[in-house]
Amino acid sequence: MTHACKVAEFFDGTGGPRTLIQLDNVWVSLGGKTVLEDITLNLQEKRFVGVIGPNGAGKTTLLRLILGILKPERGGVCVMGMSPTELKHELHHIGYVPQNVLFDPLFPVTVFDVVMMGRICCIGPLRFARKKDKEAVHESIEIVGLQGLEKRLIGELSGGQQKRAFLARALCRETHILLLDEPTSGLDVPVQNQFMELLTRLKEELGLSVIFVSHDVNVLARYADEVICINRTMQMQGKPEEVLGSDRLKDVYRCEFDFLVGAGGDD
């Protein structure tokens, strides 16, 4: 793979499962510190991929590489047949739900307004939302179960409802790839389960490719098709039972087993 991947009409292809995301010997340094080292992986489309690793392992950095926010110091990144920096107009096919969305709960912005923010990349700069944009927003609100709350202020929603609103924001942009960074952190167990059931259903109904960063291996054991374990370098990749049942996991975490009960971190 070259560092500048050829632009391909990715979704016009036929045949079996295609490689959606490819990293080839990727190195990333931030502030003079190596964050990711010689990462090579291939992810196929329409799968639920869980990403685990101890705090500071580089999990969020991996998502930022896919989004094109960060560029590798060495190696290549290919998403949907092109490098992230070449995506440009295709970038709207990637939805992102960060771990923490900072907003003023008293700011008078509605659920509809929040979800519409995710549609801006499809509308274009200095243009008004069209009928199809508003329809896409209403459809996304409905599929996450927030219909009837379009005019409700985002600060008035429960934590679980807010997570659904931000999920709708990530879905209203003709999304094929959904990246989620600890999206269930701060939610109690019943609400976490509801969110995961919703996400799994939408993955199947919409044909999404999901990359889900989490510390909660119990969640990934239940919902993921595949699990990747990184700790600066690639440690393991395989089926959940293979990765999560491996004795190597103890070495990776070095006794940091708070992740088993869902403890979080910035990376």
Side-chain angles (χ1 to χ4, degrees):
M1 181 180 70
T2 61
H3 292 187
C5 309
K6 282 188 175 182
V7 176
E9 296 296 329
F10 184 84
F11 293 102
D12 288 342
T14 58
R18 292 158 291 187
T19 298
L20 185 73
I21 297 169
Q22 184 178 4
L23 275 69
D24 184 16
N25 303 118
V26 167
W27 294 64
V28 177
S29 295
L30 298 174
K33 178 184 177 182
T34 299
V35 181
L36 292 178
E37 177 181 335
D38 197 21
I39 297 288
T40 294
L41 62 87
N42 293 280
L43 301 179
Q44 291 186 332
E45 62 176 335
K46 298 181 182 179
R47 292 177 64 78
F48 191 124
V49 180
V51 181
I52 64 172
N55 291 324
K59 302 183 296 296
T60 298
T61 299
L62 179 65
L63 298 186
R64 291 172 178 167
L65 280 170
I66 296 170
L67 289 165
I69 297 172
L70 294 176
K71 295 181 181 180
E73 181 180 353
R74 292 157 52 186
V77 180
C78 193
V79 180
M80 294 185 292
M82 62 195 87
S83 72
T85 55
E86 293 174 325
L87 283 171
K88 296 181 181 178
H89 299 301
E90 304 300 322
L91 188 61
H92 68 89
H93 291 306
I94 304 177
Y96 176 49
V97 181
Q99 179 178 358
N100 297 305
V101 180
L102 300 178
F103 66 94
D104 184 349
L106 299 179
F107 189 75
V109 59
T110 66
V111 170
F112 183 88
D113 294 332
V114 167
V115 179
M116 179 61 79
M117 292 175 188
R119 187 72 186 176
I120 289 175
C121 58
C122 298
I123 299 172
L126 303 177
R127 295 181 181 177
F128 293 103
R130 298 152 295 184
K131 180 180 178 181
K132 69 176 184 178
D133 299 310
K134 296 177 182 179
E135 289 174 347
V137 170
H138 281 295
E139 181 180 354
S140 294
I141 290 173
E142 182 176 353
I143 63 176
V144 301
L146 293 181
Q147 63 272 24
L149 299 180
E150 292 88 347
K151 296 182 180 180
R152 183 77 62 85
L153 297 181
I154 190 71
E156 295 177 350
L157 301 185
S158 67
Q161 289 173 327
Q162 288 178 1
K163 296 285 187 179
R164 287 174 179 247
F166 295 126
L167 176 60
R169 183 181 68 173
L171 290 174
C172 73
R173 43 199 289 139
E174 302 172 12
T175 305
H176 291 300
I177 305 173
L178 184 61
L179 310 179
L180 304 103
D181 193 354
E182 298 278 2
T184 58
S185 63
L187 302 179
D188 58 32
V189 173
V191 178
Q192 284 185 32
N193 290 337
Q194 291 172 8
F195 185 89
M196 295 305 300
E197 293 290 346
L198 169 65
L199 185 60
T200 304
R201 176 173 60 81
L202 294 180
K203 179 250 182 186
E204 295 297 329
E205 292 180 356
L206 304 179
L208 296 172
S209 302
V210 177
I211 301 177
F212 189 103
V213 169
S214 180
H215 276 73
D216 194 335
V217 297
N218 297 311
V219 167
L220 296 182
R222 182 177 177 184
Y223 294 101
D225 299 312
E226 182 179 1
V227 173
I228 294 170
C229 179
I230 62 173
N231 187 10
R232 196 173 74 170
T233 62
M234 174 66 75
Q235 300 292 325
M236 290 176 282
Q237 180 178 2
K239 296 179 181 179
E241 60 270 24
E242 295 171 348
V243 174
L244 303 180
S246 172
D247 290 337
R248 290 183 57 193
L249 212 58
K250 296 179 182 179
D251 297 328
V252 172
Y253 280 86
R254 298 188 187 93
C255 299
E256 185 191 319
F257 283 103
D258 57 348
F259 73 99
L260 287 172
V261 291
D266 292 336
D267 203 14

